[in-house]
Amino acid sequence: MDALPKHKIETDEAKFSNLLFQAPVLIVTFQGPSFIVDTVNKKALETWQKSYEQVINKPLFEVSPEFGLGLKEIFNNIYTTGEPFNANEIQVQLKRKGKPDTAYFNSVYQPLRNLDNEIYGIICTGTEVTESVIARKQIEANEKRFSNILSQSLMAIGILKGTEMTVAFANEPLLKILGKGNDVIGKPILEVIPEIKDQPFSKLLQDVYKTGVAFAADEMKGIMLRNEKLEECYFNLVFQPYRDVDDNITGLTILATEITEYVLAKKQIEKSEEKYRGLFDAIDQGLSIIEMIFDETNKPIDYRFLENNSVFSEQTGLPDIINKTAREAIPALDDFWFETFGKVALTGKSIRFTQKSDPLNRWFDVNAFRLGNQGSNKVGVLFTNITGRKKAELDLMASEELFRVLTHNSPDIITRLDKDGRYLYASPSIKKLDGKNAEEFIGRKYREAGLAEHICQLFDTYIPLVLQEKKSHTIEFTAMSGLEVYSRLVPEFNEKGEAVSVMMIHADITERKQAEEKIKESEAKFRALSETIPTMVWTASPDGKKNFFNQYFLNYTGLSFEELKNDGMLKIIFPDDLKKDSQQWQHSFETGEDFKMEKRLRHHDGTFRWHVSHGIAQKDSNGNITGWIGSNTDISEHKIKEQQKDEFISIASHEMKTPLTSAKGYLELILPLLSEENKTAFLYANKANQAVERLHSLVTELLDVSKIQHGQLNYNISTFDFIDMIDEAIENIQLTAKNHSLEKIGNCLHQIKGDKDRLQQVLSNLLTNAIKFSPNADKVLIKIEELDGKIQVSVQDFGVGMSSQHLYKIFERYYRVQEHAVFFQGLGIGLHISSNIIQRHNGTMWADSEPGKGSTFYFTLPL
Ligand code: ADP
């Protein structure tokens, strides 16, 4: 359905409400205690998967029992407290394009109030936030996988967040370095290790946070508190900025390996030959001093073990091999070992590596450094047996495999490219791009993989940029398949902190694009419509600054856009209405609630005319206000007529009341005198009395209406038996009802507080209507029930009924259903007075009806 049913589009205001109907925001309003759907827009119907006819004027929980108790409680709470209710990221199961789909909504439920500020219903507005929720969930899931992998790593890894650099994550090795337990999470790093405050570390961390440039260093020195003593420690470190989805730096990652023992050993040995003995055995790593053996061409061919510490045998599993050469001690030795140590001796450059020794069947973490200056062929070697750890590392790779399996099944297309633009990985979903399988990408450069030229050009620009800036970038493109793609290019680093590859996450945003197109279209439609409707229309930015007035607006005020845009409204609003106008706007700006007010606006000829102003906040999918749209509809003629009519009725009924009261008094005096004497005269006088009686009650009703208008209807409050009041009313009406029997069902044993006469007036009015509008029926049912701390009374007839579009209007002043007016007399004020009385008793009143079948009128009162 693309428009409201025709009967709804009758007035200018309704045209405007048609705009609302099309709005990309979900809007529904409910009325009464059974939450009857009063208005509903297109987006709401789509979400609800119901047709307009299925929901309008129906009680919400009858239409959709699945919304259940939770919502009912919320609604009832709004009725009693008047507090709005926000529900974020509510999950809704929908069918879209015939397929089940999960959607998320942010919705706001707010009370609707009548002019007496009493709540009579609820407005629900909702914005779909599915995309952002799903995106966030994916990121959360990714972060979880990621942190799983991190926590298993051998390298110390930590994440610091915020300017305070609070520890958000620290794996076991990092906690070990810090010498702390898990309770460091959530604490600022300087609180955890205050000793680094004046050390280069803390400045480096801050620099990386500020500049976004990663930092990497080997053998970085620091003083750390260890066993309650400040100790010299050494680390290989990488600090990397940690960025959020929008590429803002929100923290840091720390990668660290502690190498204190190795550095100290190296230093000590270098420093003093004598002292090193003691140190030698204090180290819990295998330490060996070896002498390289070179051939004539200076090629290393073997080495000799000069000295080994006690841990050496433990770590290597080798027996005492002092003075033996490596080839003698380990016959199947790989050339790798002496080639590597040879390099250390020749260049003087320390080397650290991890290597398996096949003959020993062990994995070693090895640090090798030259002892002495150029020309020395002595090398110190630290061995740590890491066979156990290595196994853990292999397990880690298995978990990376798991990660791969997961990315494999992600609906997003995930790829990794090395710095030459060669695909290292592509998830199978890449097929969505142009129909080619992942296998056709992996191992190829993107230009060779047959991607469209415009995509290649984007990659040409952005891949080098991402690697160079070490910073994520976002691109959007249309794939050959027509898919609209949103891609995030994320740099990947090696352990030195160099960006070596790029991960690309391509998300399908076709639907979002289409929605944007639709918004553009509806924007154009809005402009076209706003220029043609004979109503003043404006739009404003979120802070209320006006940025558009339609031609009609300019014509009416005789002012230019420039004159209007700043304080123009001050010039045209009637001074008496200014205060309320600015108060209400203030409220709307703060809350995002609709603005509605009647006020006088200056015409260019200098006269002021009454307008109804309407302002509505435009919101994005996160519920943020993106602007305002409003209209002023001229209601001056209507207003003048209404005022004249009210005035006339008020004066006329006042004038009539006195002579009528005295006529009634005299007739009552005459009647007993006539009853004996003259039967015919008595009969006539009786008829006259009845007519006067009726006229009297009409005039009283009219006076009631004008009192309601001026807020002067008085109430005599007392406590009384509710059921007595009902019984009396029924009895009274039954006396004059010849063809109908009034049948009461249910009971109420409570006393209630209120104006008994006024409430009786309500019931009498409903009963009279029920009888009047069901001339061919023979009964009227009155049902009394207790529901959720309230008493509910319904009056059901089996008469002419009415169609649903009248159901709310009948409570308005002077409103009568057109088709009825021909056959039934009335002024259209009984229900107006009744509903006012009920509202003043904090109750609600509503009706249900079907043409030709009959109507039921309900009211509830709090117990
Ligand atoms: P009146 O009955 O004097 O016209 P009311 O305010 O009592 O004024 O009712 C307003 C209108 O609502 C009526 O004119 C009639 O069209 C409609 N209405 C009220 N009660 C019923 C009913 N029981 N069945 C059908 N229509 C009704």
Side-chain angles (χ1 to χ4, degrees), residues 765-766 769-770 772-773 797 800-802 810 815-817 820 825-832 849 855 857:
N765 182 26
L766 294 183
N769 279 349
K772 177 163 87 175
F773 293 104
D797 67 56
V800 294
M802 70 192 103
I810 51 177
Y815 188 88
R816 308 187 60 221
V817 176
H820 295 171
Q825 291 179 336
L827 293 178
I829 52 179
L831 289 178
H832 175 66
S849 189
S855 316
F857 282 78

Side-chain angles (χ1 to χ4, degrees), residues 678-693:
N678 185 336
K679 287 251 168 342
T680 321
F682 174 76
L683 202 73
Y684 292 160
N686 207 14
K687 285 224 184 287
N689 191 29
Q690 277 169 15
V692 168
E693 192 86 53

Side-chain angles (χ1 to χ4, degrees), residues 31-177:
Q31 285 204 357
S34 44
F35 315 113
I36 295 187
V37 179
D38 185 29
T39 36
V40 56
N41 78 345
K42 188 171 155 193
K43 179 86 185 172
L45 290 170
E46 277 169 10
T47 313
W48 210 346
Q49 297 164 58
K50 303 266 188 222
S51 70
Y52 187 80
E53 289 71 22
Q54 277 175 321
V55 301
I56 197 74
N57 294 326
K58 304 262 163 55
L60 168 64
F61 297 105
E62 227 164 76
V63 178
S64 287
E66 70 274 14
F67 290 159
L69 280 176
L71 198 56
K72 213 178 219 166
E73 218 171 88
I74 291 166
F75 276 23
N76 282 328
N77 201 37
I78 294 174
Y79 271 170
T80 43
T81 65
E83 293 285 330
F85 183 84
N86 289 317
N88 284 337
E89 297 181 7
I90 298 293
Q91 192 177 340
V92 184
Q93 292 301 335
L94 297 182
K95 257 204 188 126
R96 288 202 245 229
K97 296 178 187 152
K99 277 187 244 146
D101 195 3
T102 307
Y104 294 85
F105 285 85
N106 283 354
S107 24
V108 185
Y109 302 95
Q110 287 166 324
L112 288 169
R113 292 174 188 271
N114 60 20
L115 290 176
D116 295 333
N117 206 31
E118 290 147 346
I119 300 172
Y120 68 92
I122 288 172
I123 177 163
C124 160
T125 49
T127 31
E128 179 161 1
V129 291
T130 311
E131 279 194 21
S132 61
V133 172
I134 289 181
R136 202 197 63 233
K137 286 197 181 226
Q138 260 170 21
I139 290 169
E140 281 169 3
N142 269 331
E143 279 190 352
K144 194 146 174 237
R145 279 177 225 152
F146 184 59
S147 77
N148 265 340
I149 290 173
L150 293 188
S151 55
Q152 291 181 41
S153 168
L154 290 168
M155 196 185 274
I157 302 175
I159 298 177
L160 307 182
K161 288 227 168 133
T163 40
E164 286 269 275
M165 295 197 265
T166 308
V167 181
F169 172 82
N171 69 352
E172 273 302 316
L174 182 63
L175 292 175
K176 214 169 145 201
I177 289 183

Side-chain angles (χ1 to χ4, degrees), residues 673-847:
L673 302 178
L674 291 178
S675 62
E676 306 289 307
E677 310 258 318
N678 185 336
K679 287 251 168 342
T680 321
F682 174 76
L683 202 73
Y684 292 160
N686 207 14
K687 285 224 184 287
N689 191 29
Q690 277 169 15
V692 168
E693 192 86 53
R694 172 148 172 69
L695 199 54
H696 187 261
S697 67
L698 279 178
V699 169
T700 313
E701 279 192 345
L702 280 174
L703 273 174
D704 283 351
V705 171
S706 66
K707 282 184 195 155
I708 287 176
Q709 278 303 98
H710 298 99
Q712 290 163 347
L713 195 61
N714 291 328
Y715 290 87
N716 296 318
I717 305 296
S718 64
T719 305
F720 58 90
D721 277 328
F722 187 74
I723 203 70
D724 287 351
M725 182 278 287
I726 301 274
D727 288 338
E728 275 168 37
I730 296 178
E731 234 167 78
N732 273 338
I733 304 292
Q734 185 68 77
L735 281 179
T736 50
K738 303 206 174 55
N739 304 324
H740 295 77
S741 84
L742 308 182
E743 296 170 17
K744 185 183 84 175
I745 311 164
N747 203 350
C748 169
L749 302 174
H750 292 276
Q751 291 217 314
I752 77 153
K753 210 172 153 193
D755 186 326
K756 187 174 173 188
D757 291 338
R758 288 287 179 201
L759 289 173
Q760 214 160 49
Q761 183 183 351
V762 172
L763 196 66
S764 305
N765 182 26
L766 294 183
L767 292 171
T768 323
N769 279 349
I771 293 167
K772 177 163 87 175
F773 293 104
S774 67
N776 300 324
D778 57 5
K779 67 173 174 201
V780 171
L781 301 180
I782 303 105
K783 201 159 148 196
I784 298 126
E785 296 167 273
E786 255 184 69
L787 296 166
D788 321 321
K790 284 182 195 144
I791 179 133
Q792 174 172 314
V793 178
S794 62
V795 175
Q796 184 180 14
D797 67 56
F798 304 90
V800 294
M802 70 192 103
S803 53
S804 57
Q805 83 243 34
H806 301 296
L807 279 178
Y808 291 101
K809 299 206 174 129
I810 51 177
F811 297 103
E812 285 169 15
R813 207 155 32 120
Y814 312 127
Y815 188 88
R816 308 187 60 221
V817 176
Q818 206 81 57
E819 303 94 79
H820 295 171
V822 190
F823 305 103
F824 304 98
Q825 291 179 336
L827 293 178
I829 52 179
L831 289 178
H832 175 66
I833 298 171
S834 299
S835 68
N836 252 282
I837 294 173
I838 294 296
Q839 276 173 23
R840 285 292 294 263
H841 282 81
N842 296 323
T844 30
M845 186 164 192
W846 72 102

